[in-house]
Amino acid sequence: MLLNIDDAKNILLENNTPIILIDTCSLMDIIRTCYRDNINISHLVGAREVIERINQNKLSIVLTNIVKDESLEHKISTLTDLLAEQRKVKKSLDKLIQISTKLGISYEFIRNTNPSNISLDNIFSSIIDNFINHAIILDDDDDCYTKATKRSISNITPSQKGKGEIKDCVIIEHYLKLVTMLRNSNYTEKIVFITNNSNDFGGAPNPRQPLNIDFNTLKISYCNDFKWCLTEIDN
């Protein structure tokens, strides 16, 4: 269910737990952990712990409507990439069996291994769905869209010259408005923004200027890994 920012604020005040604000790429990176070398396994481990903490009423997660829609859209193509990677591994194992046969080396342990039999697509699809189903999802806010347009036109982070990134601007404006309302209501729990999009937001934990000023003012931490988010929250 979509919530306007004021209603979301009230629920979060009542929950009174730490909050993770999530960007689309961080959800897709849960799947990409399997086949991208630059994504640490800790991201997947942390993602599963995030859901555990939500079920224990120890954590809240927030998505914008754009993040929710993008995640559902990109999940299909990202899972397709995962299945393609599994097929590549199977092909490599088959070739290794052929080579082992020619060299007279035992290969039974390889023959009994078939990556395609592991239903990773179903497992990861369920994880993404869990995030969406457990999230507080912000409905589109006209004021945030207006500010996002100005941010994009003015090349203010996450926008930059020659790269408007209007969707990223919309996402961050919704999160900034929500956190501003929370902090003005004396909300003192930790709040973390997670994205692996360092090109537009800057490398974690230091967002590009002038977004760093907003984050510092509102006491928003910036991470690119779910396990790191939890460590930040626990410190």
Side-chain angles (χ1 to χ4, degrees):
M1 181 176 69
L2 297 175
L3 297 170
N4 66 52
I5 294 179
D6 190 58
D7 287 342
K9 175 207 71 175
N10 291 333
I11 291 174
L12 291 166
L13 287 173
E14 184 177 348
N15 289 352
N16 197 34
T17 62
I19 300 168
I20 301 179
L21 312 169
I22 302 176
D23 189 27
T24 309
C25 65
S26 292
L27 291 180
M28 295 304 99
D29 283 348
I30 295 172
I31 303 171
R32 296 176 185 135
T33 301
C34 290
Y35 58 88
R36 285 196 179 175
D37 293 337
N38 65 326
I39 303 173
N40 199 291
I41 294 175
S42 62
H43 185 64
L44 170 60
V45 174
R48 298 188 69 175
E49 187 176 343
V50 165
I51 298 299
E52 290 176 5
R53 292 197 189 192
I54 293 172
N55 288 330
Q56 296 166 357
N57 298 317
K58 295 180 179 179
L59 182 67
S60 301
I61 58 174
V62 179
L63 310 178
T64 68
N65 193 27
I66 284 181
V67 171
K68 183 260 297 180
D69 287 344
E70 284 188 332
S71 297
L72 291 173
E73 177 186 352
H74 297 331
K75 181 181 77 169
I76 298 172
S77 59
T78 309
L79 288 172
T80 299
D81 291 341
L82 172 60
L83 291 172
E85 290 297 324
Q86 284 184 272
R87 287 193 291 270
K88 286 181 183 178
V89 172
K90 177 61 168 62
K91 186 176 180 180
S92 295
L93 286 174
D94 289 343
K95 186 173 183 180
L96 187 56
I97 289 173
Q98 294 175 19
I99 293 172
S100 298
T101 301
K102 296 296 183 182
L103 295 176
I105 301 173
S106 174
Y107 56 82
E108 286 307 313
F109 74 99
I110 303 175
R111 182 185 291 279
N112 294 329
T113 302
N114 186 351
S116 300
N117 290 336
I118 306 173
S119 301
L120 289 177
D121 54 331
N122 293 330
I123 294 170
F124 282 106
S125 179
S126 177
I127 292 174
I128 302 302
D129 290 344
N130 262 330
F131 268 84
I132 293 173
N133 293 334
H134 284 84
I136 291 172
I137 303 175
L138 305 180
D139 199 359
D140 296 336
D141 181 271
D142 290 342
D143 179 55
C144 291
Y145 266 85
T146 299
K147 289 183 177 179
T149 301
K150 292 180 180 178
R151 181 181 285 270
S152 178
I153 292 171
S154 302
N155 299 320
I156 299 173
T157 306
S159 175
Q160 50 190 306
K161 191 172 182 179
K163 197 176 181 185
E165 298 300 336
I166 185 63
K167 286 188 176 181
D168 286 338
C169 292
V170 171
I171 291 167
I172 205 63
E173 286 294 349
H174 279 75
Y175 287 153
L176 291 176
K177 182 172 182 177
L178 173 65
V179 178
T180 298
M181 293 171 69
L182 285 168
R183 295 308 190 198
N184 287 343
S185 300
N186 299 316
Y187 188 86
T188 58
E189 290 289 340
K190 291 189 176 180
I191 300 176
V192 183
F193 173 67
I194 179 170
T195 184
N196 199 27
N197 183 3
S198 58
N199 289 334
D200 297 322
F201 288 96
N206 303 306
R208 283 176 46 216
Q209 295 182 349
L211 190 60
N212 63 325
I213 298 173
D214 295 318
F215 277 29
N216 288 337
T217 300
L218 296 171
K219 295 182 172 61
I220 301 174
S221 300
Y222 174 29
C223 301
N224 60 9
D225 178 297
F226 277 117
K227 192 65 176 178
W228 184 5
C229 287
L230 297 176
T231 300
E232 186 71 24
I233 286 168
D234 292 341
N235 287 338

